[in-house]
Amino acid sequence: MRNLLILGGGTAGTMAANKLRRMLPANDWQITVVDADDDHRYQPGFLFMPFGTYRPDQVTKSRRKVLNKDVPLVYGEIDRVLPDEKAIVLADGTRLDYDMLIIATGVTPRPDQTPGMLSDEWGVSVHEFYTYEGSVALAKKLHDWPGGRLVINIVEMPIKCPVAPLEFSFLADDFFKGRGMRDKVEMTYVTPLPAAFTKPIAAQAFGNSLDEKGIAVEPDFMLMEVDSEKKALVSYDEREVPFDLLVTIPLNMGADFITRSGLGNELNLVPVDKFTQLSKQYDSIFALGDANDIPASKAGSVAHFEIDIFVENFMQHIAGKEMTHQFDGHANCFIETGGGKAMLIDFNYDTEPLPGKYPVAGIGPMSLLKETRLNHMGKLAFKWVYWNVLVPGRSMPVPALMSMSGKRTDLTTTQ
Amino acid sequence: MPTTTIAGRDVAVDDEGFMTQYDQWDEDMGKALAAAIGVDMTDEHWNVIRFLREDFKAQGETPTIRRVSTAGGVDTKQLFVLFPKKPAKKMAYIAGLPKPLGCV
C-alpha cells in the first residue's frame, strides 16, 4: 500500500483528493488530507460579505463533508516536511510517511510583514477582506461608516484573485450610491502596478471603469509602511496617501512550514515546473494551487484547470513514465463591476485577456471584457458550481486548456 | 525582434529596450544602459547588478525587489535610493535581463 499525502484541504487539495481517489486503485494507494480545521471557505464569497450580499454562513462548509468519504482527514498544524525521509511531522509530534506528497496549503494575507500595519488601528480604521474574520469585521465597519477617504490598497503582487481589489472598489461605489452617500466618500485605488491591472487591454478596460466611477488611481506605489498616527500610507519613494478607512490587501505568503522545511522561496511558495507543478527539488513532491510559484493568477479557477491536467500527469509519474501533459496557465474569472453587471476574462501564461465571446466563438453566451448582466448572473451561479461541480472534482463543460477561438486577437499587445 | 546598438555593439532588445539575450551583456554595456536612464554606477550599484545576473543564471527569471532584498541582502529602501522611482525595472534594464514579470 502506498501513501499519497495532501497538505491542505482547501480548493486545490480537495479537488485533487476527490479526483485522484476515483483514479487510483483503493488497494494500492491510500490518500490522506491534512488540515488544521474543518472550515472549508468559499473564498470568492469574502468579496460580497462586506456589502451584505452573502451572509457568513453561506460561505462555509465542512471540509470532511466535501471530501470523498474514502479519504481520511487528519486535523493538525503542520510543523515541517522531511523531504529526504519522505515524511511530515505535525506540531503535536505525529509523524506521517508518504510515497507522494502534494502541498496545497495556499497563501495567507500577512499584515505582520508591513511595518505599522498591525497597530491599534487594525480592525478600526485599517481593514482587509481576504480572510473570513476580516470580511466579517469589514461588514460591521461599513454598516455605520459615515464616509470620508476610503483607500483600497494592494501591498505587493502576487495576491489571491488579483481582480478582487478592483471588484471591491466597484461594489463599494455601488454600495455608497445605494445608501445615498457616494458624495461623502472619496475613493483612491493605490497599487504597486503601473496601471489598474497587470495585462494591458484589461488594464485599460478596468481603468476606464474606475475613471467613470470617480475612483482615483495612485499607480507604482510600493508601500513602505502604514503611519497609523497620521493615518497614511507611505511609499518607498516618499509619497503619502491619507485615509479615514483603509482596505488593504496585505502581502500574500505561503505557509511558514514550507520555508522551514527548505522547500520555499522568499514568499514561502514552492518552486515548481510551471507545466507539471512537480517540485524543482524533489520528484516525490508536487505543489498545487496558490502554494506554488507558477506565473499565473492565484485563484480557484487556475487551480481547477491546473488539476485537470495535473491528475493525468500524476498517473504517468507514479507509473514511472514521462509526464506528457502541459498546463498552460489558463484562468477565467467573472469581475463584478457594480450595478448588477460583471465582466468575464479568459487568459493564460501567453495570452492576455481579450474581448470576444466565451465559451463558444461568436455565440457565447458570455461576453469577454464587457459589462453584462449575464456575466453577473454567472458570477452568482458560480457559488453553486463551486460546491457541486468543482470541489467534488466533477467535469466542467469547458476545456482545461485555453482556446483562442472567439477572441479578438487583432487587439493583442506585446508584453 | 528589434536590435539596438549599446556600447558600440548590436544587441537584441524588446519593444521597451530591455536586452533579451543573457550572453550579449557585459559590464561596459551595463554602464552604458545605466547612463541612458540617468543612473551613475557605484560599487553598491554593481553589487546589486551582479546579484541580479547571478540569480537570473541560477533561477531562470529576473528577481523581484523582494528577492533582491531577502536573498541579495540589500534592503528595499536602499534599492529605491540606488535606482529611484522604479527599481525593479531599472535594475533589470541595466543588468540586461528581461523586464520583471508583472505578476498576475
Side-chain angles (χ1 to χ4, degrees), chain A residues 113 156-159 162 193 198-199 220 222 224 236-238 251 266-267 280 295-297 347 414, chain B residues 14-16 59 61 64-67 70-71 75-78 80 85-87 89 99 101-104:
Chain A
Q113 298 289 313
E156 197 173 311
M157 298 303 283
I159 56 169
L193 297 171
T198 49
K199 309 282 188 177
D220 290 313
M222 282 285 292
M224 182 173 70
Y236 281 104
D237 59 2
E238 290 162 4
L251 181 68
E266 58 285 353
L267 286 171
K280 286 181 176 169
S297 296
F347 57 110
T414 53
Chain B
D14 72 6
D15 294 341
E16 290 177 82
Q59 306 291 330
E61 56 192 63
T64 59
I65 290 185
R66 174 165 296 273
R67 183 159 175 86
T70 52
D75 78 35
T76 308
K77 182 82 188 163
Q78 188 58 15
F80 272 83
K85 302 284 180 197
K86 297 187 177 182
K89 279 180 90 166
K99 191 173 98 169
L101 286 175
C103 298
V104 275

Side-chain angles (χ1 to χ4, degrees), chain A residues 116-127 226 228-229 231:
Chain A
M117 195 176 274
L118 279 183
S119 69
D120 294 345
E121 290 296 317
W122 183 252
V124 182
S125 64
V126 180
H127 283 260
V226 179
S228 58
E229 277 180 23
K231 287 202 189 173

Side-chain angles (χ1 to χ4, degrees), chain A residues 219-338:
Chain A
D220 290 313
F221 193 95
M222 282 285 292
L223 182 63
M224 182 173 70
E225 62 173 339
V226 179
D227 186 331
S228 58
E229 277 180 23
K230 269 198 202 165
K231 287 202 189 173
L233 297 176
V234 184
S235 70
Y236 281 104
D237 59 2
E238 290 162 4
R239 277 177 282 164
E240 288 191 11
V241 178
F243 60 82
D244 296 302
L245 174 58
L246 171 65
V247 176
T248 186
I249 320 302
L251 181 68
N252 279 206
M253 290 178 80
D256 288 333
F257 80 82
I258 291 172
T259 296
R260 209 153 52 221
S261 310
L263 296 169
N265 68 10
E266 58 285 353
L267 286 171
N268 296 343
L269 304 174
V270 183
V272 297
D273 176 77
K274 72 175 184 176
F275 298 118
T276 63
Q277 290 74 53
L278 182 66
S279 156
K280 286 181 176 169
Q281 287 174 278
Y282 295 95
D283 72 357
S284 55
I285 300 178
F286 286 89
L288 299 178
D290 298 348
N292 65 35
D293 75 336
I294 65 171
S297 296
K298 298 205 169 295
S301 139
V302 172
H304 159 238
F305 293 126
E306 174 186 277
I307 287 165
D308 275 354
I309 307 294
F310 157 78
V311 292
E312 304 294 337
N313 280 328
F314 186 83
M315 298 305 284
Q316 292 175 324
H317 190 64
I318 57 172
K321 295 179 187 155
E322 191 191 340
M323 295 186 277
T324 57
H325 305 265
Q326 292 203 333
F327 179 55
D328 64 349
H330 186 194
N332 57 32
C333 49
F334 293 105
I335 297 145
E336 282 295 300
T337 48

Side-chain angles (χ1 to χ4, degrees), chain B residues 4 8-9 29 34 52 63 82 85:
Chain B
T4 190
R9 307 223 316 262
M29 283 187 202
L52 258 86
L82 296 172
K85 302 284 180 197

